[in-house]
Amino acid sequence: MATQIYILDTTLRDGQQSPGAGMSYEDNLHYAHLAHKLKIDILEAGFPSASNTDFNIVSQIAKDMAAIKSDMKISGLCQLREDQVHKTMEALAPSLAINRGRIHIYVPVDPELMPVSLGNLANDKPLIIGTVNKLIKIMTSAGFEVEFSPEGYSRMRKNFDFTTDVIRAAIEAGASIINCPDTIGGASRYEGEDYFVNKIKQHAAIIKQEFPGQNIIWSAHCHNDFGTALDNTLTAVFEGAVQQIEGCINGVGERAGNVSLEQCIMNIRQFGNLTHLSHKVYTNADISYLKDISDFIAEKMLPRQPHSPITGKNAASHTSGGHINAILKNPMAYQPFDPKQIGSEISFVFGPLSGSNHARQIITTLGYKCTEEEKVAITQAIKDYYQDRRKGITDEELVKAYKAYRSPIRLDSLTYAKDAGNTTTLTLHGKFFDLPEISVSYKGKGSALSTINNAIATHFPGIAVEDYNSYAEGHTIDALCTSNITVSLNGSHRFHGRASDEDIEISAVKAFIDAVNNAYVETKFALKNTEK
């Protein structure tokens, strides 16, 4: 039979101990509801004795979860101090009322950590053991579930026997969860027998022999200082005695962070049922909420890297032409899991390595023609248009380049002159429908705008100016002039153009050309509704 791995989420406690990661009171409460939807087993809501605000957060979360009868247990952390024990019990009273209250108490066992954390008490190990037993009895007698952590467990070194004694004292007092943390994030499987997962197995065997009638849950709490938190956590689950894992969404937490819960959950889901495993494992997490809760922490706590596994922006985003071609045929071709399962979607980013199928897919999706025969030329034109944009472009930017490619008029240079006889001559270099350049004249009271209007009418009839205005972009004599023009085509559809130039006449001509280009592309290359 498969074994459930319980998920303890310490994002609100250990996560907010990371500099700059603190959230508002309201955001803490909202996060608890997201954790409830994710079906987190235990939410470590905070450290009630740290401040009045922390006390209020833990207390209100306990009330909120009790009100909706959440199955999620609410936990509060406290040090080996009786005043903190009573303060924590007070904060968690609403959770206790529905049998969902847990207190997490700890004491260091790391020889380097003990003297700096405990002072003179570090030299009196019997007193430490007795205090652990005494304080846990207070909590269990009140009806609380108790989790005990020998802090710095992965670096206990010569203190194995002392650690055994303090764990034994905790269990004798009623603690039912023993958490064995890699507090400084320095554990590695390469340590051999000293590896903390091997020590957990040794302690689990000792306790099972001494307390055969008690069901003790062993837990791992790993930090990521060497980037090994995920490996250590999964090793503790798959090769050790651990049935509970502790971490934070997006891997936030002190220093380099805690193990990422979304990575743990998805790895257990992916590999926990493999046939060769000595024991199969699973979690109760509802992964459809992983993206939502990850996005919340990325917005409210600490930014998430785009390439973060599972929920990062790039985790389901592709730009390689070969990859996209395959994914368009089979969405799972380059994905280890379906992003829809976690509330995400596969997306494509058009970039220098993207192919013509990708460009064509974007263009047709947004409502424009791109045939099989012309897709390669169009794709190259788009890449040339954004030749300096090596990091990719948005779909909207791609369509802008597509429209530039389709536009009948392209300006490389534009000049005009008016003689004494009231004749305006306009010269355009670049592209004018089928011509590389034109030079046209108009005699009369009209301006350069009238000149270009007449020239366009012979190639694209039906265009009429409906509205036109120009204004200066500043108050100096050399301010740019911006022109806005609205044209109609055959008296019906309207199209807008906009342009700026130092010369008011040129700005008007450019705006008119912009409007005509828009009209031409929309008329000639927009897909009909039946074609979309």
Side-chain angles (χ1 to χ4, degrees):
M1 293 180 63
T3 300
Q4 180 182 352
I5 302 300
Y6 299 103
I7 306 296
L8 185 148
D9 182 349
T10 186
T11 305
L12 296 185
R13 199 276 300 170
D14 209 337
Q16 292 191 99
Q17 289 178 203
S18 178
M23 295 192 294
S24 70
Y25 177 86
E26 291 76 14
D27 288 340
N28 275 263
L29 303 188
H30 184 70
Y31 182 86
H33 285 276
L34 293 175
H36 163 76
K37 290 180 179 179
L38 184 57
K39 294 187 178 178
I40 290 295
D41 299 295
I42 307 100
L43 178 66
E44 192 162 76
F47 201 149
S49 298
S51 69
N52 289 335
T53 299
D54 288 88
F55 177 91
N56 292 333
I57 287 171
V58 174
S59 179
Q60 190 61 51
I61 287 175
K63 291 175 185 175
D64 290 350
M65 293 302 106
I68 62 173
K69 295 181 171 56
S70 174
D71 288 333
M72 182 171 66
K73 295 177 181 177
I74 306 301
S75 177
L77 186 73
C78 72
Q79 295 173 316
L80 196 67
R81 291 172 46 181
E82 188 168 348
D83 60 330
Q84 289 195 12
V85 167
H86 289 287
K87 190 82 170 176
T88 306
M89 290 195 297
E90 181 185 353
L92 292 170
S95 294
L96 178 64
I98 61 167
N99 198 31
R100 290 290 183 272
R102 176 187 291 190
I103 299 178
H104 183 184
I105 190 168
Y106 68 98
V107 71
V109 297
D110 173 359
E112 291 187 46
L113 185 57
M114 288 179 67
V116 297
S117 179
L118 299 176
N120 292 333
L121 180 59
N123 299 319
D124 194 342
K125 291 179 180 177
L127 181 56
I128 294 173
I129 294 167
T131 304
V132 167
N133 184 270
K134 171 191 170 185
L135 296 185
I136 291 178
K137 279 183 178 178
I138 293 173
M139 295 182 279
T140 55
S141 296
F144 284 97
E145 183 178 67
V146 175
E147 174 176 346
F148 172 69
S149 289
E151 187 185 14
Y153 180 92
S154 63
R155 205 164 62 172
M156 75 180 88
R157 295 171 183 161
K158 63 181 181 181
N159 277 345
F160 182 87
D161 290 339
F162 164 64
T163 303
T164 305
D165 289 339
V166 77
I167 290 173
R168 182 185 292 117
I171 293 172
E172 285 176 346
S176 54
I177 304 97
I178 304 298
N179 176 48
C180 303
D182 179 23
T183 304
I184 49 83
S188 168
R189 62 172 71 232
Y190 301 114
E191 293 176 287
E193 284 303 312
D194 289 331
Y195 185 38
F196 85 116
V197 173
N198 294 326
K199 298 299 184 183
I200 295 173
K201 288 192 285 187
Q202 291 178 41
H203 276 129
I206 292 170
I207 295 303
K208 184 175 182 180
Q209 183 177 12
E210 293 186 10
F211 300 90
Q214 294 196 36
N215 180 28
I216 303 301
I217 294 174
W218 295 85
S219 179
H221 177 116
C222 298
H223 282 261
N224 205 34
D225 295 73
F226 277 115
T228 54
L230 180 62
D231 181 61
N232 286 333
T233 300
L234 294 178
T235 301
V237 168
F238 288 111
E239 300 178 26
V242 161
Q243 198 180 343
Q244 174 183 285
I245 57 175
E246 307 185 6
C248 300
I249 294 296
N250 292 359
V252 297
E254 290 187 284
R255 302 183 311 279
N258 293 62
V259 71
S260 162
L261 284 182
E262 66 273 14
Q263 293 178 32
C264 292
I265 290 167
M266 291 302 289
N267 271 273
I268 291 172
R269 186 178 185 277
Q270 185 82 354
F271 306 115
N273 199 38
L274 296 179
T275 55
H276 71 275
L277 294 175
S278 59
H279 65 284
K280 296 175 175 54
V281 294
Y282 69 96
T283 76
N284 275 339
D286 184 346
I287 64 171
S288 66
Y289 289 98
L290 275 179
K291 186 67 163 50
D292 285 348
I293 200 167
S294 174
D295 287 349
F296 183 81
I297 291 304
E299 177 187 356
K300 302 292 187 178
M301 188 174 281
L302 289 174
R304 178 185 59 211
Q305 289 292 323
H307 60 272
S308 290
I310 312 300
T311 58
K313 179 182 177 181
N314 292 350
S317 186
H318 302 265
T319 190
S320 163
H323 286 208
I324 291 170
N325 286 341
I327 291 169
L328 289 173
K329 299 171 185 175
N330 175 8
M332 295 303 293
Y334 279 98
Q335 289 289 153
F337 65 89
D338 187 349
K340 290 181 179 178
Q341 294 173 337
I342 66 164
S344 188
E345 293 281 350
I346 292 176
S347 63
F348 304 134
V349 175
F350 190 87
L353 302 180
S354 297
S356 57
N357 285 333
H358 183 195
R360 186 185 183 199
Q361 185 254 353
I362 295 171
I363 292 165
T364 56
T365 297
L366 293 180
Y368 295 93
K369 294 179 183 178
C370 181
T371 66
E372 185 71 22
E373 294 72 25
E374 62 186 353
K375 67 181 183 181
V376 173
I378 290 175
T379 300
Q380 188 56 55
I382 292 168
K383 291 181 179 181
D384 291 344
Y385 192 90
Y386 292 108
Q387 57 184 315
D388 295 327
R389 294 284 294 279
R390 301 295 297 171
K391 293 185 179 182
I393 59 175
T394 66
D395 291 358
E396 291 74 17
E397 289 172 327
L398 184 145
V399 169
K400 179 181 178 181
Y402 167 84
K403 289 183 176 181
Y405 172 81
R406 292 294 202 190
S407 293
I409 306 172
R410 186 187 73 242
L411 296 178
D412 290 342
S413 66
L414 179 67
T415 59
Y416 81 98
K418 183 176 287 190
D419 62 18
N422 216 24
T423 297
T424 300
T425 301
L426 185 145
T427 303
L428 180 153
H429 292 273
K431 175 187 175 186
F432 188 82
F433 294 89
D434 296 329
L435 304 172
E437 62 182 49
I438 60 165
S439 183
V440 292
S441 297
Y442 177 83
K443 184 176 179 60
K445 294 181 180 180
S447 62
L449 186 58
S450 300
T451 308
I452 193 68
N453 185 24
N454 287 343
I456 287 172
T458 63
H459 294 269
F460 188 36
I463 293 289
V465 175
E466 297 289 334
D467 188 40
Y468 161 46
N469 67 78
S470 297
Y471 60 90
E473 292 285 357
H475 302 288
T476 61
I477 58 173
D478 58 352
L480 283 177
C481 177
T482 295
S483 295
N484 292 285
I485 290 183
T486 300
V487 302
S488 63
L489 179 62
N490 298 321
S492 55
H493 299 294
R494 285 171 169 74
F495 304 92
H496 182 69
R498 179 184 176 91
S500 298
D501 195 87
E502 294 176 357
D503 186 294
I504 187 171
E505 293 267 17
I506 296 296
S507 75
V509 170
K510 287 181 177 179
F512 183 64
I513 290 172
D514 186 37
V516 170
N517 281 338
N518 286 332
Y520 188 89
V521 172
E522 293 296 330
T523 303
K524 303 290 186 180
F525 300 106
L527 293 172
K528 308 294 184 184
N529 289 333
T530 56
E531 295 179 287
K532 289 185 179 180

